Amino acid sequence: VQLVESGGGLVQAGDSLRLSCVASGRTFRRYAMAWFRQAPGKEREFVAAMAWSSGNPSYADSVKGRFTISGDNARSTVNLQMNSLTPEDTAVYYCAWRSFVFPADYDYWGQGTQVTVSS
């Protein structure tokens, strides 16, 4: 599975951005897609995920109420709408693909897209 992210950029605090991720290749094995992020000097952290079968989203506490994950099953695309951005949201955002329920690992990753929020 190949994942390509887009939509990152430089914005000001309070602005919005929409990230997209398109999956291609052997996408018939699918359980969920997710977004993670990694800020400079910090470990990669979970942001949001969506299970393909149910469409149920899950979010990190730090983004609840501000970020919305959505997906298009037919197009193997997942989006992340990010509102009310703060400088603490500055990071490289990665799209991830989880093929199976078990193991509970994301087995494919995109190259990442930079999001920079200025104060």
Side-chain angles (χ1 to χ4, degrees), residues 14-33:
D15 286 351
S16 299
L17 270 179
R18 183 178 177 87
L19 305 182
S20 293
C21 177
V22 179
S24 61
R26 299 171 71 85
T27 60
F28 56 91
R29 293 190 180 94
R30 57 176 63 196
Y31 175 70
M33 285 184 77

Side-chain angles (χ1 to χ4, degrees), residues 44-66:
R44 187 168 58 194
E45 64 174 0
F46 169 79
V47 175
M50 186 191 73
W52 285 116
S53 59
S54 65
N56 289 337
S58 59
Y59 299 97
D61 288 342
S62 59
V63 306
K64 279 182 182 176
R66 300 188 300 122

